[in-house]
Amino acid sequence: MRNNLAIKICGINDPESAKACDEADYVGFVFYQKSERFVTAFEAKKISDFISNKSKRVGLFVDSDIDLIEYITNFVKLDMIQLHGSESLSMIKTIKKKLGKPIIKAIPVKSKKDVHLSKKFESICEMILFDTKNESLQASGGTGKSFDWKLLNGYNSKKSWMLAGGLNIKNIKRAVEQTGAPIVDISSGVELKKGIKCPKKIKQLIEYVKNNKLEKI
């Protein structure tokens, strides 16, 4: 039985992987130079041609200059902006007003306090993304590790939200059952090694999610 769980594949950086995402709801480019998945605006624009028009193109930024975000968004024709740094509420409002694009705000999670922090962003962001806190960086994400999903127990929001952090074909069913996440965001879970996507793994995971009934218990 098919389900309505939405899928985002993040860190796409080559044409073959982009093609493999044809059934993904969201496809993400990482515009953060310290990431192994970093792509330039020029590279992202070329790769974007291989992405299905059914998928929303998402740009991931970490405390980037607003003018740079605007340039890349327009050049690559991004549909959404994902903010993974310590962006303030005022900066997010400015970005949203200037670019007119939906905003996804990533919240790095290690404790219940981090989950509660998300509430202050809900009024101005279209979507919240919960990811594993990376202690070595201010930015969340990129660890390939999951956080304690029990920290999301009792979380509810009128906004849609994403679950990220070490998700793969082996644990994604349990993750959705425990958290009730309406959208899953996968990066390291479909890689051969850090930063190198595997088209076969991408297709297998998307097919698994789309064709299995994954729901909260």
Side-chain angles (χ1 to χ4, degrees):
M1 180 175 179
R2 291 177 68 86
N3 65 89
N4 59 359
L5 181 68
I7 308 170
K8 176 173 174 280
I9 304 294
C10 196
I12 292 298
N13 52 16
D14 71 274
E16 291 305 313
S17 295
K19 292 176 187 176
C21 295
D22 60 337
E23 291 297 321
D25 301 280
Y26 307 86
V27 177
F29 295 113
V30 177
F31 299 108
Y32 180 49
Q33 292 187 348
K34 293 182 180 180
S35 171
E36 292 88 348
R37 304 170 183 98
F38 169 72
V39 289
T40 65
F42 181 73
E43 290 168 337
K45 186 175 178 66
K46 290 177 67 177
I47 295 168
S48 186
D49 291 337
F50 296 93
I51 296 174
S52 167
N53 289 329
K54 294 182 292 184
S55 306
K56 291 189 181 299
R57 291 153 174 77
V58 182
L60 186 158
F61 299 90
V62 179
D63 295 317
S64 298
D65 179 81
I66 294 177
D67 291 336
L68 178 64
I69 296 175
E70 181 179 32
Y71 169 76
I72 293 176
T73 298
N74 293 333
F75 184 74
V76 183
K77 293 183 171 58
L78 299 176
D79 298 301
M80 305 183 78
I81 297 167
Q82 184 170 322
L83 301 175
H84 257 258
S86 55
E87 298 88 3
S88 65
L89 288 171
S90 60
M91 182 177 180
I92 295 173
K93 288 178 182 177
T94 302
I95 292 171
K96 188 172 180 179
K97 184 177 181 180
K98 190 170 186 180
L99 278 69
K101 297 290 183 180
I103 303 291
I104 302 169
K105 181 67 181 89
I107 305 295
V109 178
K110 188 178 181 181
S111 68
K112 198 77 174 179
K113 181 180 178 181
D114 298 322
V115 176
H116 293 322
L117 178 68
S118 69
K119 290 297 181 182
K120 76 174 188 177
F121 294 101
E122 288 186 358
S123 62
I124 58 172
C125 297
E126 278 67 30
M127 203 175 289
I128 298 296
L129 182 150
F130 293 107
D131 204 346
T132 305
K133 181 174 284 188
N134 188 339
E135 299 294 352
S136 63
L137 295 171
Q138 284 192 338
S140 60
T143 64
K145 299 178 181 178
S146 302
F147 63 89
D148 183 359
W149 298 323
K150 292 178 183 176
L151 293 173
L152 290 172
N153 286 353
Y155 173 77
N156 61 74
S157 174
K158 294 180 180 178
K159 298 288 183 73
S160 194
W161 58 279
M162 293 186 181
L163 177 67
L167 297 177
N168 56 57
I169 200 165
K170 294 180 179 179
N171 67 10
I172 199 164
K173 184 176 190 294
R174 181 162 50 89
V176 173
E177 287 175 345
Q178 286 191 20
T179 66
I183 308 170
V184 288
D185 186 347
I186 302 95
S187 184
S188 62
V190 287
E191 292 182 338
L192 294 170
K193 62 180 183 179
K194 202 165 188 178
I196 307 297
K197 288 290 185 289
C198 175
K200 183 178 179 180
K201 284 188 175 184
I202 292 173
K203 281 187 169 293
Q204 286 177 336
L205 186 137
I206 293 175
E207 183 178 355
Y208 174 78
V209 171
K210 295 289 185 181
N211 291 286
N212 283 275
K213 185 175 175 58
L214 307 182
E215 62 182 4
K216 189 173 182 180
I217 294 176

